[in-house]
Amino acid sequence: QVQLVESGGGLVRAGDSLRLSCTVSGGEFSTYGMGWFRQAPGKEREFAAAISWSGLNYADSVTGRFTISRDNAKKTVYLQMNSLKPDDTAVYYCAAARNGYYRGSNAAQYAYWGQGTQVTVSS
């Protein structure tokens, strides 16, 4: 059974940074395309960033501020978030796609999901 566990969320002020981590167990991490999504209160879940064998992908809203990376030896994907804004407040979810080349924004392409970690940015 594949499990994803996120960590690193918290309460920060606008302009601060946070690094989220997502550790995968029970699967072949190095073969997965990995993504980060987020869901703000009252809004739909939206794509933030992805990393795969074919490269990186970012939503326009986070480009230049967020950086996704992975450590296959640690079976962990990271999301470094800089210059945080109140609009970044959301529950952040990591997700794994069985297609190692996939780095898209379609949530349906991701087979496995974590439970989420809360990020709150105060103004």
Side-chain angles (χ1 to χ4, degrees):
Q1 182 179 359
V2 179
Q3 293 186 323
L4 285 68
V5 179
E6 303 98 334
S7 61
L11 171 63
V12 297
R13 295 181 178 180
D16 285 351
S17 297
L18 274 177
R19 188 177 80 156
L20 305 183
S21 300
C22 171
T23 300
V24 179
S25 62
E28 295 293 331
F29 177 80
S30 63
T31 69
Y32 297 149
M34 297 299 299
W36 284 96
F37 289 74
R38 63 186 185 180
Q39 187 166 18
K43 296 186 178 181
E44 294 186 354
R45 190 173 300 189
E46 67 174 11
F47 170 78
I51 183 169
S52 75
W53 293 339
S54 60
L56 309 177
N57 186 24
Y58 295 97
D60 289 344
S61 59
V62 307
T63 296
R65 300 187 299 121
F66 290 12
T67 302
I68 188 170
S69 62
R70 67 191 296 164
D71 185 333
N72 287 340
K74 294 183 178 180
K75 299 184 178 182
T76 300
V77 61
Y78 305 97
L79 187 67
Q80 176 67 44
M81 306 186 295
N82 299 330
S83 302
L84 283 161
K85 306 174 182 179
D87 284 349
D88 295 318
T89 295
V91 177
Y92 283 71
Y93 299 90
C94 72
R98 294 192 186 99
N99 182 348
Y101 288 98
Y102 189 72
R103 56 186 172 111
S105 60
N106 185 351
Q109 294 297 320
Y110 293 86
Y112 309 109
W113 291 82
Q115 293 300 307
T117 185
Q118 176 70 47
V119 173
T120 303
V121 184
S122 64
S123 57

